[in-house]
């Protein structure tokens, strides 16, 4: 699709605007959880507790930012868990190997490693035409094996760098966590890409109908590869933040983020079959999932129960969107 594409085509492939029903429902559920939590404990609505929840939301929000781009295509990225771990381990490894210079290069190197995983994923899905679910699951296993082989089953060094720690837990302005500012910057970048660039319009076009987008002149392979690269970079960056939050990198630290990230995206109204969704909905989904996790933790819900809830949400949304697609066809 060239820059001289007809206005009608631009409108057809433009991202949706406004507050749709799914987003409104997500914000309504957030309000209900806050009210219910306040009835359980007065501390639930305290500014300090809410800021703490937003800080925790930021880590999931960065992961979900990349996952949303892939889901908008109608694909899925199951390599997120060990891409998160890869980012954390490579950042701490580079810092440990190269001292002061490594501390400066740690975060860029980690993001580039995540982008490299995304690049392989994108090539496999776009050019080899392999199912994204199977290929990215295989890549997750490959990255896991490489990290275990490289580190011998332990973290490269004991502690994250000061910069990583400050980004994750520091508070420089008005007592607001730095992690929240990082999420805002990442989110602003995603919104800019989706709403202000030709690439963003093409993401929606490919998600709506890849063959039609291709016949309209869109380089669909480039769009698919680009989204997977951004997803990998976002997951690795989230790993950097998590390493800073926990002060170290460790095996499997990304495992708890796969289903919550996907659930947050689809809860926010992004069609898991592709082509529809906006970032405001993803923000609502991330906050909703984080508050839900907090409630379940207070209720001492076991991890197995949480996974059942996330899986049920994804299946329910898939059935909803699937039936909607069938009704329109």
């Amino acid at each position: 699709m060239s820059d001289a594409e007809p206005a009608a085509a631009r409108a057809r492939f433009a991202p949706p605007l406004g507050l749709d029903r799914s987003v409104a429902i997500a914000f309504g559920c957030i309000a209900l959880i806050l009210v219910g939590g306040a009835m359980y404990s007065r501390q639930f609505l305290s500014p300090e507790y809410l800021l703490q929840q937003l800080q925790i939301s930021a880590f999931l929000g960065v992961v979900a930012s990349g996952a949303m781009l892939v889901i908008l295509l109608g694909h899925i990225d199951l390599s997120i868990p060990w891409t998160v771990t890869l980012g954390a381990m490579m950042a701490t490894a580079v810092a440990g190997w190269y001292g002061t210079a490594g501390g400066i290069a740690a975060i860029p190197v980690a993001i580039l490693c995540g982008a490299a995983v995304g690049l392989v994923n994108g090539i496999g899905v776009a050019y080899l035409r392999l199912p994204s679910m199977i290929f990215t699951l295989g890549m997750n296993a490959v990255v896991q094996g490489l990290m275990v082989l490289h580190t011998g089953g332990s973290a490269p060094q004991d502690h994250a760098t000061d910069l990583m720690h400050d980004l994750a837990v520091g508070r420089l302005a008005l007592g607001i966590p730095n992690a929240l500012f990082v999420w805002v910057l990442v989110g602003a970048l995603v919104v800019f890409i989706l709403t202000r660039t030709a690439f963003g319009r093409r993401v929606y076009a490919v998600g709506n109908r890849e063959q039609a987008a291709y016949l309209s002149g869109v380089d669909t392979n480039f769009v698919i590869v680009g989204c997977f690269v951004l997803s990998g970079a976002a997951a690795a960056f989230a790993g950097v933040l998590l390493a800073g939050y926990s002060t170290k990198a460790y095996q499997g630290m990304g495992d708890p983020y796969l289903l919550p990230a996907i659930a947050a995206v689809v809860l926010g109204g992004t069609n898991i079959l592709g082509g529809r969704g906006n970032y405001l909905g993803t923000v609502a989904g991330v906050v909703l999932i984080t508050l839900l996790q907090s409630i379940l933790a207070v209720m001492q819900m076991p991890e197995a129960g949480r996974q059942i809830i996330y899986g049920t949400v994804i299946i329910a949304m898939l059935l909803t969107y699937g039936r909607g697609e069938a009704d329109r066809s």
Side-chain angles (χ1 to χ4, degrees):
M1 192 181 301
S2 67
D3 292 336
E5 63 191 353
R10 289 178 181 270
R12 179 183 175 189
F13 296 141
L17 301 176
L19 189 69
D20 63 24
R21 184 177 64 177
S22 298
V23 179
I25 291 174
F27 277 112
C29 290
I30 291 172
L32 288 176
I33 290 177
L34 290 174
V35 171
M39 294 176 63
Y40 181 83
S41 172
R42 293 181 180 179
Q43 297 299 319
F44 203 82
L45 291 181
S46 67
E48 185 61 30
Y49 178 81
L50 293 177
L51 283 175
Q52 181 187 33
Q53 294 306 303
L54 287 174
Q55 180 182 24
I56 297 172
S57 295
F59 308 133
L60 177 59
V62 173
V63 177
S65 298
M68 177 189 174
L69 293 172
V70 173
I71 292 174
L72 280 172
L73 296 174
H75 291 291
I76 200 84
D77 186 356
L78 298 184
S79 66
I80 285 174
W82 276 89
T83 305
V84 169
T85 305
L86 169 70
M89 288 195 164
M90 290 308 300
T92 55
V94 169
W97 292 337
Y98 300 108
T100 302
I104 296 174
I107 295 178
V109 168
I111 293 174
L112 286 174
C113 288
V117 173
L119 178 62
V120 176
N121 284 333
I123 291 173
V125 174
Y127 290 96
L128 302 181
R129 312 308 295 177
L130 297 172
S132 59
M133 180 178 295
I134 304 301
F135 191 87
T136 58
L137 184 61
M139 273 301 299
N140 189 65
V142 169
V143 175
Q144 178 181 4
L146 289 174
M147 284 295 94
V148 173
L149 181 64
H150 176 66
T151 63
S154 60
Q157 71 165 9
D158 290 335
H159 298 287
T161 66
D162 291 339
L163 177 59
M164 292 163 62
H165 185 71
D166 288 341
L167 286 176
V169 302
R171 299 192 179 193
L172 294 180
L174 304 176
I176 299 174
N178 292 341
L180 187 57
F181 289 117
V182 172
W183 182 22
V184 169
L185 291 175
V186 172
L189 176 61
V190 173
V191 170
F192 176 79
I193 290 173
L194 290 177
T195 62
R196 293 291 184 267
T197 68
F199 180 84
R201 291 195 301 274
R202 292 162 185 167
V203 170
Y204 285 95
V206 173
N208 276 304
R209 186 161 297 178
E210 183 178 346
Q211 185 177 6
Y214 176 78
L215 294 175
S216 299
V218 174
D219 186 348
T220 56
N221 288 342
F222 175 79
V223 173
I224 293 172
V225 171
C227 286
F228 274 102
V229 168
L230 291 173
S231 177
F237 185 40
V240 171
L241 296 176
L242 286 170
Y245 183 75
S246 60
T247 71
K248 62 181 180 180
Y250 55 89
Q251 298 286 336
M253 65 189 304
D255 289 345
Y257 285 87
L258 176 61
L259 280 179
I262 297 172
V265 173
V266 298
L267 270 176
T270 298
N271 190 338
I272 201 168
L273 301 178
R276 186 171 71 84
N278 60 62
Y279 194 75
L280 179 61
T282 296
V283 171
V286 167
V287 175
L288 176 57
I289 288 293
T290 302
L291 291 176
L292 181 61
Q293 287 177 329
S294 178
I295 289 290
L296 294 177
V298 170
M299 295 172 59
Q300 298 183 340
M301 173 74 72
E303 181 63 24
R306 302 183 197 185
Q307 297 299 316
I308 291 172
I309 291 174
Y310 301 143
T312 301
V313 167
I314 294 170
I315 292 172
M317 299 303 286
L318 177 60
L319 290 172
T320 300
Y321 289 134
R323 294 185 66 177
E325 291 292 325
D327 292 342
R328 287 195 297 269
S329 61

